[in-house]
């Protein structure tokens, strides 16, 4: 990518965006030609198109793959073989997946210029938002960003998350001062490997600048809610630091101490009193708006499984702040941006950026056939002829995303299911539906992430009359007895009282939640339950408050990144199951069979 593109800001960035989206088909063909020219001598491509740069031959001969197909090459490079196995440019690092979406971290190859592409996308965000929210340059952004300690491959390549890679790069650390990206958090706090110390210092900085904060957020909605939970338990110490002008002695990271000592240059008892009065309230409803009264919006990923957190974010913001989801990205590749950032979370669509990589799509059907297509085996071979180019997808139809990158992924199945919602100029816009590989299955049933989420959305409405709020959930296919059954773990709080107050609900209500979920699950599940009797009654296990925070802590200790952590919607880890089951306070089963008609 031309380095000049890193300089696009403001109106120039929007002009470049219009140019790219107007010429999507041409840009995509040019991108694929450049990828083939750069990587034509690689071992991988030479298996299928020996020394060829021909686009048609690539589409005809190179297979569609999943991680298990490319993993042997990545392992060989990690062990010291040359990057030319898969890419013409030397690999600079391996990027780890979040570690909770697919059971274990995957290593994704990355080259130096990938950082240019990510920076290009980041530079589009503010020009887009400025069209809808003026005056952001007059204040600060309280964004809670985190890094994770990196490891090394046997040959010495860094292995780290994509966000850690970006925050540690010169693109971030040596960025020019920009009034539109004036963060409350000092870089030293963001770059602190101790997530608790980092969280403490970033929240402290946000509180010190509370009246200057015009926007706040985190990468994922779950991280922002974790910050609120952290604040609830630590606000007395934070207030003490502000009141005395001294940083808590438990913060021993040198960078954090240095940066925060400058920020805490003098005692501020008045500010401490303001914060103490707000945090001492019996209810934390609207706490975000009370602590940061000038905030104009909350920024976080709230699509897909993250939409589960929308009610909690609305509760803590008293439904006064828009929830803004700006971009669509993964460790493998950055994909697109939201051109209507103030839209309702349910209407978020991402406009694909055709210069990020070469994008193809596996058709999954329309509304009538979508579920059946989605439930096919994801490891089943996909004929190359089935793939659809970016410019030729159809509005309303569902697709699985396939990507080819400069760094050595060729026709790689990302695993994301998308629906085309429209076009911006000649570039399609997609709604994120779900991750394809998150399933519950006991017999012939296959329940995907979206179906599980939909059924829970219906069931949790039964809690509303009791002022109860479902704050988190996960699931498990329990086959320890015959027949097996679905187990759903719920954490519930009181929605109108103190944040951490548990609530007692009549058993019949939770039993009705069980059957409400089953009634929403698909035909095959209900047939297995009612006719075949091959699946037992669905069970809801209510867990103690804080259990899902402990679950997150567990996964972080096992290698997950706090910045990229997403609660797994289906639990497979024995340690995670043990933690959940040790914190169960009550169990409820579906009282009857769901409706099913042959």
């Amino acid at each position: 990518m031309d380095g000049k593109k890193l300089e696009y800001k403001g109106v120039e960035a929007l002009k470049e965006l219009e140019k790219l989206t107007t010429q999507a088909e041409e840009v995509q063909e040019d991108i694929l030609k450049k990828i083939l020219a750069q990587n034509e001598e690689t071992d991988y491509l030479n298996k299928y198109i020996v020394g060829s740069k021909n686009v048609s031959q690539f589409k005809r001969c190179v297979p569609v793959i999943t991680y298990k197909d490319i993993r042997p090459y990545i392992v060989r490079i990690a062990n010291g073989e040359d990057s030319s196995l898969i890419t013409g440019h030397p690999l600079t690092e391996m990027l780890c997946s979040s570690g909770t979406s697919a059971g274990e971290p995957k290593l994704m190859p990355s080259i130096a210029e990938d950082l240019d592409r990510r920076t290009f996308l980041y530079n589009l965000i503010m020009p887009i938002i400025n069209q809808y929210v003026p005056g952001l340059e007059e204040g600060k952004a309280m964004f809670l960003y985190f890094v994770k300690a990196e490891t090394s491959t046997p040959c010495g390549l860094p292995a780290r998350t994509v966000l850690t890679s970006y925050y540690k790069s010169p693109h971030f650390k040596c960025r020019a001062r920009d009034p539109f990206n004036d963060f409350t958090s000092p870089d030293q706090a963001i770059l602190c490997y101790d997530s608790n110390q980092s969280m403490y210092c970033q929240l402290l900085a946000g509180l010190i600048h509370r009246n200057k904060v015009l926007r706040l957020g985190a990468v994922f909605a779950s991280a922002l809610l974790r910050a609120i939970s952290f604040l609830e338990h630590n606000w007395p110490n934070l207030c003490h630091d502000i009141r005395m002008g001294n940083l808590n002695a438990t913060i021993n990271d040198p960078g954090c101490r240095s940066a925060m000592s400058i920020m805490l240059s003098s005692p501020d008892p008045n500010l401490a009193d303001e914060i103490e009065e707000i945090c001492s309230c019996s209810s934390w409803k609207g706490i975000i708006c009370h602590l940061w009264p000038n905030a104009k919006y909350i920024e976080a990923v709230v699509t897909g499984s993250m939409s589960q957190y929308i009610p909690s974010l609305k509760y803590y913001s008293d439904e006064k702040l828009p929830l803004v989801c700006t971009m669509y990205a993964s460790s493998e590749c950055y994909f697109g941006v939201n051109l209507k950032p103030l839209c309702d979370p349910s209407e978020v669509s991402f406009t694909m950026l055709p210069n990020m990589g070469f994008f193809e799509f596996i058709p999954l059907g329309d509304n009538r056939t979508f579920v059946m297509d989605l439930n096919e085996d994801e490891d089943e071979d996909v004929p190359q002829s089935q793939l659809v180019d970016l410019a030729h997808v159809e509005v309303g139809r569902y697709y699985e995303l396939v990507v080819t990158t400069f760094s050595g992924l060729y026709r790689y199945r990302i695993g994301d299911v998308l629906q085309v919602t429209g076009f911006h100029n000649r570039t399609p816009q997609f709604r994120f539906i779900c991750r394809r590989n998150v399933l519950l299955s006991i017999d012939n049933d296959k329940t995907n992430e979206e179906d599980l989420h939909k059924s829970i959305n219906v069931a949790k409405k039964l809690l509303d009359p009791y002022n109860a709020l479902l704050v988190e959930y996960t699931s498990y296919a329990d086959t320890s007895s015959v027949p097996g059954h679905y187990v759903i773990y719920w954490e519930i709080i009181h929605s109108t009282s103190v944040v951490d107050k548990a609530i007692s609900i009549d058993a019949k209500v939770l039993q009705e939640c069980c059957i409400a979920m089953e009634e929403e699950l698909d035909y095959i599940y209900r047939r297995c339950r009612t006719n075949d009797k091959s699946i037992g009654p669905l069970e809801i296990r209510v867990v103690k408050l804080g259990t899902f925070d402990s679950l997150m802590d567990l996964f972080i200790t096992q290698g997950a990144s706090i910045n990229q952590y997403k609660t797994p919607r289906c639990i497979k880890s024995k340690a995670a199951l043990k933690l959940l089951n040790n914190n169960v306070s009550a169990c409820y089963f579906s009282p009857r069979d769901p409706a099913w008609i042959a």
Side-chain angles (χ1 to χ4, degrees), residues 233-253:
H233 291 95
N234 290 277
W235 67 261
N237 290 333
L238 294 164
C239 285
H240 182 269
D241 291 0
I242 294 171
R243 189 182 309 282
M244 304 306 295
N246 288 311
L247 184 62
N248 192 297
T250 61
I251 305 301
N252 55 30
D253 178 84

Side-chain angles (χ1 to χ4, degrees), residues 148-328:
K148 179 184 171 348
E150 64 187 59
T151 59
S152 295
T153 66
C155 73
L157 280 175
R160 51 198 174 194
T161 68
V162 64
L163 292 170
T164 296
S165 167
Y166 179 72
Y167 299 144
K168 292 188 67 176
S169 73
H171 294 69
F172 180 79
K173 294 197 295 183
C174 301
R175 65 195 183 279
R177 188 186 180 282
D178 181 354
F180 287 104
N181 282 300
D182 185 6
F183 301 145
T184 58
S185 298
D187 285 5
Q188 296 93 325
I190 293 173
L191 295 172
C192 174
Y193 286 127
D194 186 317
S195 60
N196 284 326
Q197 293 192 56
S198 175
M199 180 79 81
Y200 188 96
C201 292
Q202 292 194 62
L203 285 173
L204 179 57
L207 291 171
I208 290 171
H209 294 295
R210 62 181 292 258
N211 291 312
K212 297 180 182 178
V213 170
L214 299 185
R215 53 203 170 103
L216 53 91
V219 176
F220 289 110
S222 54
L224 183 56
L225 289 174
R226 181 170 175 83
I228 294 173
S229 175
F230 187 95
L231 178 62
E232 184 199 356
H233 291 95
N234 290 277
W235 67 261
N237 290 333
L238 294 164
C239 285
H240 182 269
D241 291 0
I242 294 171
R243 189 182 309 282
M244 304 306 295
N246 288 311
L247 184 62
N248 192 297
T250 61
I251 305 301
N252 55 30
D253 178 84
C256 285
R257 289 208 69 86
S258 174
M260 297 311 299
S261 295
I262 296 172
M263 205 170 289
L264 287 168
S265 57
S266 61
D268 194 340
N270 291 332
L271 177 59
D273 288 344
E274 291 175 8
I275 297 168
E276 184 175 7
E277 182 179 359
I278 292 169
C279 292
S280 298
C281 290
S282 60
S283 171
W284 270 35
K285 184 178 183 181
I287 190 71
I288 291 175
C289 296
H290 297 148
L291 286 174
W292 295 282
N294 298 313
K296 297 184 178 183
Y297 65 85
I298 295 170
E299 183 175 323
V301 173
V302 290
T303 53
S305 64
M306 288 292 120
S307 63
Q308 159 69 18
Y309 303 108
I310 291 172
S312 295
L313 288 176
K314 288 184 175 180
Y315 173 79
Y316 291 122
S317 63
D318 204 16
E319 301 195 36
K320 293 179 180 178
L321 298 178
L323 304 180
V324 173
C325 188
T326 60
M327 58 183 284
Y328 171 38

Side-chain angles (χ1 to χ4, degrees), residues 192 345 412 479-480 507 585:
C192 174
Y412 178 82
T479 56
S480 62
S585 58

Side-chain angles (χ1 to χ4, degrees), residues 139-152:
K140 290 181 175 288
M142 193 186 91
F143 290 148
L144 304 175
Y145 295 148
F146 303 91
V147 298
K148 179 184 171 348
E150 64 187 59
T151 59
S152 295

Side-chain angles (χ1 to χ4, degrees), residues 28 32 58 62-66 328 330 332-333 335 352 356-364 378 382-384 386-390 393 399-405 409-418 430 436:
Q28 278 281 276
L32 181 55
F58 172 86
V62 176
V64 180
I65 64 168
T66 60
Y328 171 38
S330 74
E332 295 89 340
C333 184
F335 304 116
M352 300 294 275
M356 292 290 104
F358 182 67
F359 304 130
E360 297 174 281
F361 300 86
I362 302 170
L364 298 176
E378 70 166 336
V382 177
Q384 292 94 318
Q386 276 192 13
L387 269 63
V388 179
D389 290 346
L390 178 69
V393 296
Y399 298 88
E400 182 184 344
L401 176 59
V402 175
V403 65
T404 297
T405 69
L409 298 178
Y410 303 98
R411 311 193 97 174
Y412 178 82
R413 296 174 68 172
I414 296 294
D416 290 355
V417 176
L418 311 174
F430 293 90
R436 181 165 182 150

